[in-house]
């Protein structure tokens, strides 16, 4: 099991600022894509195609290829997502074995305002997801429109990590961040292999820390989180930032 280590955001920000300041004269900004609607995420498929996939909060995933954004979206959930406040299509993740396993996962807020984790299947050319292939794996009720979390990513252990906020409002009025009986305010660690998706569900890794803890949700990997919007795995060490 890869150890989980949270790093100091303050230290990272200070280091980034120092590096950016010292190297500012060596870099210039150049636009590479235009015409996007509330873009908030960028990822790739790891398939060597060079394509980038841009997540739009309003429900679409756009494909950037050969210096341009393709007209056809990779995914269009604009008719089934709520975009009020911090809701929307929040992130996208490709299965580690993609494209051999053509599974792609999305984290979004549905029209009722609740969190949805779904699996989709990409078509043969990898430019779009197959219509009607959505399999909803997880629904989590959200009491308020803010603090829905956001990040969805596979770790170096091959497990899928999903970040959920504490449910919102101000000051965590429902105490979700410290309540292990809810999935809110937590980082979840899930197994989503072919067999799981075919069964319309997900698996819980046996080495999750609260698998055998009474009153705790076994999906939880870390809890006590306010609104974990983004995180990343260090490619050299496997640490979670």
């Amino acid at each position: 099991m890869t150890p989980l280590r949270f790093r100091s955001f303050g230290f990272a920000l200070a280091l980034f600022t120092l590096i950016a300041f010292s190297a500012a004269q060596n870099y210039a900004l150049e636009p590479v894509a235009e015409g996007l609607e509330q873009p908030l995420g960028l990822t790739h498929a790891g398939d060597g195609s060079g394509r980038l996939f841009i997540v739009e909060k309003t429900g679409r995933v756009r494909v950037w290829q050969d210096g341009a954004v393709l007209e056809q979206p990779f995914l269009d959930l604009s008719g089934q997502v709520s975009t009020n406040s911090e809701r929307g299509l929040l992130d996208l993740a490709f299965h580690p074995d993609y494209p051999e396993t053509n599974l792609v996962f999305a984290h979004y807020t549905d029209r009722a305002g609740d969190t949805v984790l779904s699996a989709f299947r990409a078509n043969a050319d990898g430019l779009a997801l197959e219509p009607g292939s959505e399999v909803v794996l997880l629904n989590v009720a959200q009491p308020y429109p803010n603090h829905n979390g956001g990040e969805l990513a596979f770790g170096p252990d091959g497990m899928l990590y999903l970040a959920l906020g504490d449910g919102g409002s101000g000051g965590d009025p429902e105490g979700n961040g410290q309540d292990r009986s809810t999935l809110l305010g937590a980082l979840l660690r899930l197994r989503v292999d072919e067999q799981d998706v075919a069964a319309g569900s997900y698996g819980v890794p046996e080495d999750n820390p609260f698998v055998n803890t009474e009153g705790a949700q076994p999906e939880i990997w870390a809890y006590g989180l306010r609104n974990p919007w983004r995180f990343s795995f260090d490619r050299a060490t496997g640490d979670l930032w």
Side-chain angles (χ1 to χ4, degrees):
M1 179 176 63
T2 301
L4 177 71
R5 302 187 184 97
F6 286 102
R7 299 304 192 185
S8 168
F9 174 75
F11 171 77
L13 180 60
L15 181 61
F16 173 79
T17 303
L18 177 62
I19 295 172
F21 178 78
S22 64
Q25 295 181 351
N26 299 324
Y27 295 92
L29 296 177
E30 179 181 346
V32 296
E34 297 178 347
L36 301 169
E37 187 175 8
Q38 299 186 52
L40 50 67
L42 182 71
T43 189
H44 64 89
D47 60 353
S49 67
R51 299 174 186 139
L52 295 177
F53 298 83
I54 305 167
V55 179
E56 296 180 327
K57 182 178 184 289
T58 49
R60 295 189 302 175
V61 176
R62 310 296 302 278
V63 181
W64 183 91
Q65 178 176 280
D66 299 327
V69 177
L70 304 186
E71 182 176 350
Q72 177 187 0
F74 183 67
L75 172 64
D76 190 350
L77 296 176
S78 54
Q80 63 191 80
V81 304
S82 169
T83 59
N84 179 37
S85 185
E86 297 174 7
R87 297 167 173 168
L89 176 58
L90 303 181
D91 210 2
L92 188 81
F94 289 80
H95 193 279
D97 294 331
Y98 185 91
E100 288 77 13
T101 296
N102 64 341
L103 290 172
V104 184
F105 301 84
H107 174 199
Y108 66 92
T109 317
D110 66 16
R111 302 291 290 181
D114 297 327
T115 286
V116 177
L117 171 64
S118 284
F120 299 82
R121 292 191 180 275
N123 59 17
D125 62 14
L127 291 175
L129 297 181
E130 295 179 359
S133 68
E134 180 177 12
V135 177
V136 176
L137 303 179
L138 176 67
N139 286 97
V140 181
Q142 292 283 354
Y144 303 99
N146 62 325
H147 289 191
N148 285 189
E151 182 74 23
L152 183 68
F154 282 91
D157 55 2
M159 300 302 170
L160 182 62
Y161 290 76
L162 171 63
L164 295 182
D166 61 10
S169 189
D172 192 12
E174 300 187 10
N176 292 321
Q178 296 297 324
D179 184 358
R180 293 182 301 191
S181 70
T182 176
L183 298 179
L184 296 175
L187 181 63
L188 312 185
R189 180 173 180 257
L190 312 173
R191 188 193 69 230
V192 285
D193 58 24
E194 281 279 3
Q195 291 76 19
D196 296 316
V197 174
S201 186
Y202 58 84
V204 175
E206 295 181 357
D207 56 351
N208 273 7
F210 304 111
V211 167
N212 297 311
T213 301
E214 183 178 357
Q217 298 291 337
E219 296 94 335
I220 294 175
W221 180 248
Y223 71 102
L225 307 178
R226 178 65 165 147
N227 188 40
W229 165 241
R230 289 290 182 250
F231 62 81
S232 182
F233 289 96
D234 191 307
R235 284 175 288 181
T237 66
D239 291 347
L240 188 151
W241 295 74

